[in-house]
Amino acid sequence: MHPRWEALRGSLQRRYATIFVLVVSVPLLVSAVVSASLAHRQQREAIAALQDAQADASAVRILQFLREVELQLAWLTALPWGEDATQQRRLDMLRAMRQAPAITDLVLLDEAGRERVAESRLELSRIDTLADRSASPAFAGARANRVYHGDVYFRKGSEPFVTLAVAGSDPAAGVAVAEVSLKHIWDVVSRIHFGREGIVYVVDRAARLIAHPDIQLVLRNTDLSTVRQAFEFRQDGAASPRAVRMQGTLGKPVLATSRRIELTGWHVVVEQPLEEADEPVRAAVRAAVWVAAGSLALALAAALWSAWRMVRPLRALAQGAERIGAGQLSHRIQLKSGDELERLGERFNDMAGELQASYGSLERKVEERTRALSEANRAKSRLLAAASHDLRQPLHALNLLVAQQRIEPDPRERDRLAARVEAAVASINTLFDGLLDVSKLDAGVVRPEPSAVPVQRILDQMDITYSGAARAKGLELRIRPHDAWVCSDPVLLERVLGNLVANAVRYTRHGGVLVGCRRTGAGLRIMVCDTGIGIPADKLPDIFQEFYQVAPEGSGRGEGLGLGLSIVTRLCALMAHPIEVRSVPGRGSCFSVTVPLAQPGQTPASAAPEPAFDALRGRRVLVIDNDDQVLDSTARLLAGWGCRVRALKAAPHTADVDSAPPELLLVDFQLDDGDDGLAVVKRLRVALHQPVPALIMTGDVSALTRQRIADSGLPMLEKPVSGLRLRTVMTRLLQRA
């Protein structure tokens, strides 16, 4: 489909779909948010109400415990004192202590406040001691209010007690004073359960813990001032917050509610772990979110379906118009929409019929012109497609390595990653040069330069370049190591194997890719095997043609551009490396390239020895480049090698170089203001009165530029340039000088 029609169709469909989605989904999203908020609030209120009810019920139970003790005391003061009532009263007191185990000490005072009978679980009984206790708060309080509740105190600093006193209804009956152990309230609060882990405990006026399911906390006289601050306990009985989030007595975040017992001034606190309390809230919110998500999914599906129904006639019309515009004048648009679009389609059909009749005699010229344009486009696209095909993988690997190096804290691992980054950069530079040469295959310009190369170096490069892409697809890229040396052009051989591995990764959905080597009588066979889609036997002769693709099952066309195997077969023919392929549809393919073996360590006769790295230390180098990034990176690199660098964006004045003349010039070919590197080198040599060694670097690889630099006699490096290559050339120039 023509890109213009494709953009129009996609834009219109997206527009309709967006409108439908907004109209339908926005109210749903608002409703979902409101529903979730209401559910959250209702569940919070329900939990608070449950805790309120539990707190009220717990307060009633504790108050009932105290009422039972008061009832026993009131029974002892029902009758006035008589002359012979002491023994009977003693028996009544023992009976009361048996029925109320919380009473540890019990004293009966007559109407004058004199002690008549005293019973204790820990001390001996006392009878008619007549000790005056009329000034005690218990006697005075009971006489004034009939019932007296004292403050909580702790015996021996551990067990909580409270003093209760009840006066008889008859003034002559006297007052019963009891010391009540609040440890028995543990039996009350321990039987109260709220949820799975909810507990109830009691705090007195001074914010001390007097009853808790964990009796050890009570016996330690635990201070709960934090609870008092959370609920703002007030002596006047003012209402405290309904539910408070705080740190619980067991060390967990809790949701707590407090109720005041007006009779004693104590507070009953109900606390529940926050995680448990929030479970119903989270469940309600999740339910609301799921309902909203389901509704939104249905709404989106309906919106997209409606948009598709609206755009489908326009798509058919656009496709028909495109085919007619492409020269298929016999094509007719079949549109049955029953509206204006159908009539528009009929007008297109009429126009196509008229054009078919008018341009019948011009079909041959149109076909020739179309063929010529197609060939031109194919020739232009070949280099771009190949460059994208081969440079994308090492660039991707480089990006991943750089990202990993930024976050890697281990210096040794960072050094290893730096080495892999350098290897990836070297791969990019090598492949870039190789791609420029491959683009000249048809013109016969490329000439292989065979040399002895360790095959493991090529295999390592395959691992660096394509392992990331394999992992991204969930594949296993296995590369079997091998110690053989082969005689081949390393750049072109790497190009061949790179295309084969890239194709294997691209057309493999499950399993993996294996790269291995095997010695044969003809040399070393390098094999690339995969578990991909496979190739039918009748398609094997065609796969090496340009732009031919084997479409995976269930798809309309293959992946890539179909140039990889075409380049592979041309390069193999150029280097005289036989290539073979075996494939089983649905099980995978295996490509093999046979390369002649070479002696280990054998190098071409023209290869130069490694340069001495110390040859650059202390040398004065002048760098001229109009690109800030290139200028800065080059200057820093040379400074790292020990050079004394001066970096400029334009040629310096003569006076600026007389004091410290440079020993080497690195000049970019294209400079600002129409200046070029050749003219700059010439002027500097004249100013310095000596032929200073100079190196021209350029990204312009046109024939005219190459010829001009060659005519000048200056060496040239094409960008991009690796650090090792730049250092080698600089060292050679200085050694020659």
Side-chain angles (χ1 to χ4, degrees), residues 299-481:
L300 290 176
L304 294 175
W305 180 80
S306 300
W308 177 78
R309 287 293 303 272
M310 294 181 65
V311 174
R312 185 176 59 175
L314 293 176
R315 181 183 302 173
L317 186 62
Q319 291 175 347
E322 178 190 0
R323 296 182 64 178
I324 294 174
Q328 300 180 19
L329 300 180
S330 60
H331 175 72
R332 295 296 180 265
I333 299 174
Q334 302 296 328
L335 192 60
K336 302 295 182 182
S337 60
D339 53 15
E340 291 81 1
L341 291 177
E342 181 177 353
R343 291 191 288 274
L344 182 59
E346 295 174 354
R347 298 294 183 271
F348 270 102
N349 291 335
D350 296 340
M351 178 188 66
E354 295 176 0
L355 289 174
Q356 186 176 13
S358 302
Y359 294 140
S361 60
L362 299 177
E363 288 183 356
R364 182 178 55 82
K365 294 181 179 180
V366 171
E367 291 178 359
E368 293 176 355
R369 181 59 177 169
T370 302
R371 187 181 302 110
L373 292 176
S374 177
E375 290 296 332
N377 288 333
R378 289 177 59 185
K380 179 184 68 176
S381 302
R382 183 178 292 111
L383 179 60
L384 297 178
S388 175
H389 180 270
D390 284 315
L391 290 177
R392 187 178 301 275
Q393 297 297 345
L395 283 175
H396 178 65
L398 179 61
N399 288 332
L400 295 180
L401 290 171
V402 172
Q404 185 179 357
Q405 188 179 30
R406 289 179 177 174
I407 63 174
E408 179 58 52
D410 189 356
R412 290 178 297 179
E413 182 65 16
R414 289 175 64 88
D415 292 340
R416 188 186 70 83
L417 291 174
R420 291 179 66 90
V421 167
E422 292 178 358
V425 172
S427 172
I428 293 173
N429 291 333
T430 303
L431 284 176
F432 187 79
D433 293 338
L435 287 172
L436 292 177
D437 292 337
V438 169
S439 66
K440 305 171 186 176
L441 281 172
D442 292 337
V445 177
V446 176
R447 294 289 183 269
E449 298 179 4
S451 62
V453 58
V455 73
Q456 187 60 43
R457 189 176 73 185
I458 307 296
L459 299 179
D460 291 340
Q461 195 58 50
M462 296 300 101
D463 184 28
I464 293 172
T465 305
Y466 298 100
S467 59
R471 286 194 300 269
K473 294 186 63 175
L475 304 175
E476 180 183 8
L477 177 59
R478 298 176 57 191
I479 298 181
R480 297 278 181 85

Side-chain angles (χ1 to χ4, degrees), residues 19 103 317 578 650:
I19 293 174
I103 300 176
L317 186 62

Side-chain angles (χ1 to χ4, degrees), residues 617-667:
R617 186 169 302 278
R619 296 302 186 97
R620 297 185 298 276
V621 181
L622 175 61
V623 182
I624 302 175
D625 200 303
N626 62 343
D627 186 280
D628 292 331
Q629 293 184 357
V630 174
L631 190 66
D632 180 68
S633 59
T634 304
R636 290 177 181 271
L637 179 63
L638 298 184
W641 292 342
C643 298
R644 298 165 60 185
V645 185
R646 184 180 182 186
L648 300 174
K649 295 186 64 175
H653 296 289
T654 303
D656 295 338
V657 296
D658 287 341
S659 58
E663 300 176 73
L664 179 63
L665 304 176
L666 266 63
V667 185

Side-chain angles (χ1 to χ4, degrees), residues 389-390 393-394 427 431 438 453-467 477-480 482 484 486 488-506 513-518 524-530 544 564-565 567-572 575 577-580 590-595:
H389 180 270
D390 284 315
Q393 297 297 345
S427 172
L431 284 176
V438 169
V453 58
V455 73
Q456 187 60 43
R457 189 176 73 185
I458 307 296
L459 299 179
D460 291 340
Q461 195 58 50
M462 296 300 101
D463 184 28
I464 293 172
T465 305
Y466 298 100
S467 59
L477 177 59
R478 298 176 57 191
I479 298 181
R480 297 278 181 85
H482 206 280
V486 294
S488 179
D489 188 311
V491 174
L492 301 184
L493 180 59
E494 182 177 323
R495 174 86 165 112
V496 169
L497 294 181
N499 278 343
L500 295 178
V501 174
N503 279 349
V505 172
R506 181 179 299 113
V513 178
L514 172 65
V515 181
C517 303
R518 178 180 301 171
L524 185 70
R525 178 178 295 172
I526 306 176
M527 297 172 292
V528 179
C529 303
D530 62 69
F544 295 104
L565 293 180
I567 295 175
V568 165
T569 187
R570 294 190 180 196
L571 289 175
C572 287
M575 296 185 293
H577 295 343
I579 182 169
E580 299 175 2
C590 185
F591 290 81
S592 61
V593 179
T594 303
V595 186

Side-chain angles (χ1 to χ4, degrees), residues 72-108:
Q72 296 295 329
L73 299 181
W75 180 71
L76 294 175
T77 59
L79 298 175
W81 281 94
E83 294 180 357
D84 56 351
T86 301
Q87 292 299 327
Q88 182 62 38
R89 293 297 180 88
R90 182 172 178 271
L91 294 176
D92 293 341
M93 292 172 64
L94 293 175
R95 187 181 300 110
M97 293 178 68
R98 187 182 307 112
Q99 294 179 356
I103 300 176
T104 59
D105 298 277
L106 184 58
V107 178
L108 286 179

Side-chain angles (χ1 to χ4, degrees), residues 159-236:
E159 186 175 352
F161 281 82
V162 65
T163 301
L164 294 184
V166 177
S169 57
D170 187 351
V175 176
V177 181
E179 303 299 324
V180 181
S181 173
L182 297 183
K183 185 173 65 175
H184 292 271
I185 300 182
W186 177 84
D187 296 330
V188 177
V189 299
S190 63
R191 290 194 297 267
I192 301 175
H193 300 284
F194 183 70
R196 295 193 308 271
E197 301 181 20
I199 62 172
V200 177
Y201 57 89
V202 184
V203 181
D204 69 353
R205 294 188 183 96
R208 293 175 300 179
L209 187 64
I210 61 176
H212 193 279
D214 186 356
I215 192 65
Q216 297 299 326
L217 294 178
V218 178
L219 297 180
R220 289 201 295 265
N221 193 6
T222 304
D223 184 9
L224 294 182
S225 299
T226 56
V227 177
R228 177 172 58 187
Q229 295 172 0
F231 289 103
E232 300 180 357
F233 290 170
R234 294 173 54 181
Q235 299 299 329
D236 57 3

